[in-house]
Amino acid sequence: MQSANTHAAYCLATYRCYDEKADFHKKALGIAVGLTVGSWTDLPDARKAEMEKHLGRVVQVNVHEPVADEPASGRYADIQIAYPDVNFSRDIPALLVTIFGKLSMDGRIKLIDLDFSDGFRSAFAGPRFGIQGVRDLLGVHDRPLLMSIFKSVIGHDLTALREQFYQQAAGGVDLIKDDEILFENPQTPIERRVEVCMEAAAQASKETGQKLLYAANLTGPTFGLIEQAKKAINAGANALLFNVLAYGFDALSELSRHPDISVPIMAHPALAGAYYPSPYHGIAANVLLGKLMRLAGADLVLFPSPYGSVVMPREENMAIKEALLTDAAAPLKRSFPVPSAGIHPGLVPLILKDFGSEVVVNAGGGVHGHPMGAAAGGRAFRQAIDGCLSGTSLRQYAADRHPELQAAIDAWGLKE
Ligand code: 1AE
């Protein structure tokens, strides 16, 4: 174990490393040296002095030996390495390649945590709007927000999308997002889609008295993203959806700091399942969908919830929430957690219990599949949120003259 040079700044990476027989202390030293200066012991003293500031440090090695009834493969160590900031430029690709480039392919090893140095973090603006900014745009400060997702979008024309948008908006949702699989296409190109959907938003707004953000899906080749985003914003888009992992964190970082892209950016987790679920490989959800998303500037971050159709363990959800909300990452603004996938009104009590009020309740099928239609689906969710905030049991609240919520509970059940 080495003490870190107190004059230098370091980013800290923590790995969980499984091996039945390895000397984990030796392995840790191999990582610290191998991913920084390459070799150490063979260097002459003068060269060692020059290279000192580039040398990675082993901060901790905590070995877990399997107990009697555990399989040998249960032997692991949590290894923390400090990487000197001086070794990499102030961008996420450089950091990730340093700490988990070749190493990610070297045996059973998972990146389970990552702490940025103040110097590294200071190169990022983080979310432009954050939770407070999104709430200010909507004028809603006293309750969790509600988002609905377009469903069945491919092959539909502008008239059909406008109607689908209007039905969702009429139910009183705060945000509507495109489906992430709706790409640039001749039938519903982004600028036309935005125009008709914003018309529908204005129509619904007159009836509900609510403001609404529409996150249009920003797609296409990487080098055209900024022009594409400007096209959407010029047409009236007041938010953007972005498939961050398909493009890379640096693309999000460039978009979020661009002076002309002055709307909230919503990060979709598409591809995340290729990174976080294995205990042995990949990048933990709190790093992937929490710390890195916030650093790169996502105002809202979607991820699978513990309750719906695509599930993530609850403790991983709570770790993402902590990463998006913690004051420890200040001055970066906080990003909205958006637990998603298979959400229906009967799950709202669990969501609010776990996430509190700084959360976006988000549903596609749970809105569109409502037995009384999509507008009723939105209303059922709003009633579920209001019911939870009132402190009444949701079953009682539904029975008490909230027929849309009652129909949703009858269709999908209730978990309190
Ligand atoms: C985790 C992403 C959720 C998502 O994008 C999506 O489309 C969910 O749809 P539903 O609510 O499961 O129908």
Side-chain angles (χ1 to χ4, degrees), residues 9 63 99 101 195 233 246 262 270 294 301 393 416:
V63 181
I99 65 166
E195 276 167 22
I233 291 165
S262 52
R294 183 172 173 187
V301 183
S393 96
E416 281 188 287

Side-chain angles (χ1 to χ4, degrees), residues 28-43:
L29 199 56
I31 295 171
V33 176
L35 296 187
T36 57
V37 297
S39 79
W40 185 250
T41 42
D42 300 341
L43 294 176

Side-chain angles (χ1 to χ4, degrees), residues 92-405:
I92 295 174
L95 176 65
L96 289 182
V97 171
T98 298
I99 65 166
F100 208 43
K102 195 167 130 197
L103 184 61
S104 68
M105 298 171 270
D106 191 4
R108 292 193 296 171
I109 185 162
K110 179 169 181 174
L111 179 66
I112 59 169
D113 207 357
L114 177 58
D115 290 308
F116 313 115
S117 67
D118 290 345
F120 187 81
R121 192 191 294 112
S122 70
F124 297 83
R128 184 188 292 246
F129 292 85
I131 290 181
Q132 191 59 38
V134 170
R135 286 192 175 285
D136 289 347
L137 289 175
L138 291 166
V140 178
H141 295 96
D142 57 352
R143 60 167 170 80
L145 300 181
L146 174 62
M147 176 155 77
S148 143
I149 310 167
F150 263 107
K151 283 286 150 181
S152 179
V153 284
I154 291 177
H156 292 270
D157 63 12
L158 289 166
T159 311
L161 290 193
R162 188 193 190 288
E163 179 56 20
Q164 200 184 127
F165 189 100
Y166 172 75
Q167 289 301 328
Q168 297 172 82
V173 304
D174 302 295
L175 304 102
I176 295 178
K177 79 164 195 65
D178 271 344
D179 204 348
E180 71 282 1
I181 56 166
L182 183 60
F183 305 104
E184 197 50 11
N185 71 92
Q187 206 175 12
T188 54
I190 196 163
E191 69 274 35
R192 293 289 297 124
R193 191 163 84 237
V194 166
E195 276 167 22
V196 301
C197 289
M198 293 312 288
E199 270 171 36
Q203 183 189 341
S205 192
K206 279 193 198 132
E207 295 154 19
T208 61
Q210 276 185 234
K211 292 183 183 161
L212 200 146
L213 293 175
Y214 168 39
N217 197 18
L218 179 62
T219 67
T222 306
F223 291 127
L225 286 173
I226 287 172
E227 282 315 305
Q228 185 74 357
K230 285 191 207 168
K231 214 196 287 182
I233 291 165
N234 289 339
N238 55 8
L240 293 168
L241 175 71
F242 190 50
N243 289 307
V244 176
L245 299 176
Y247 286 94
F249 286 103
D250 197 53
L252 171 61
S253 183
E254 289 293 302
L255 290 165
S256 70
R257 68 176 84 211
H258 195 286
D260 296 336
I261 302 178
S262 52
V263 299
I265 301 178
M266 187 181 294
H268 194 278
L271 291 182
Y275 292 90
Y276 72 77
S278 165
Y280 303 122
H281 300 282
I283 302 178
N286 65 313
V287 177
L288 190 76
L289 298 169
K291 292 184 175 184
L292 289 168
M293 288 293 187
R294 183 172 173 187
L295 186 74
D299 296 288
L300 307 103
V301 183
L302 278 72
F303 48 89
S305 81
Y307 338 101
S309 54
V310 178
V311 291
M312 180 190 286
R314 184 177 173 277
E315 59 278 15
E316 292 181 38
N317 254 233
M318 294 301 96
I320 295 175
K321 171 187 148 185
E322 167 70 15
L324 297 180
L325 300 183
T326 180
D327 291 339
L332 300 182
K333 292 186 176 119
R334 298 179 305 156
S335 314
F336 250 125
V338 191
S340 304
I343 302 300
H344 59 76
L347 296 175
V348 170
L350 295 182
I351 297 174
L352 302 203
K353 202 187 295 171
D354 279 344
F355 286 88
S357 63
E358 298 301 38
V359 69
V360 178
V361 175
N362 178 34
V367 168
H368 298 279
H370 190 280
M372 296 154 71
R379 281 195 286 277
F381 272 104
R382 285 294 303 276
Q383 291 164 6
I385 292 170
D386 292 346
C388 288
L389 296 184
S390 75
T392 322
S393 96
L394 215 53
R395 203 170 290 286
Q396 182 57 48
Y397 194 82
D400 190 13
R401 285 174 286 117
H402 293 106
E404 293 91 346
L405 178 58

Side-chain angles (χ1 to χ4, degrees), residues 71-95:
S73 59
R75 183 173 184 269
Y76 67 83
D78 288 345
I79 294 174
Q80 190 175 54
I81 307 290
Y83 292 91
D85 281 8
V86 68
N87 287 8
F88 39 86
S89 45
R90 297 285 186 270
D91 55 85
I92 295 174
L95 176 65

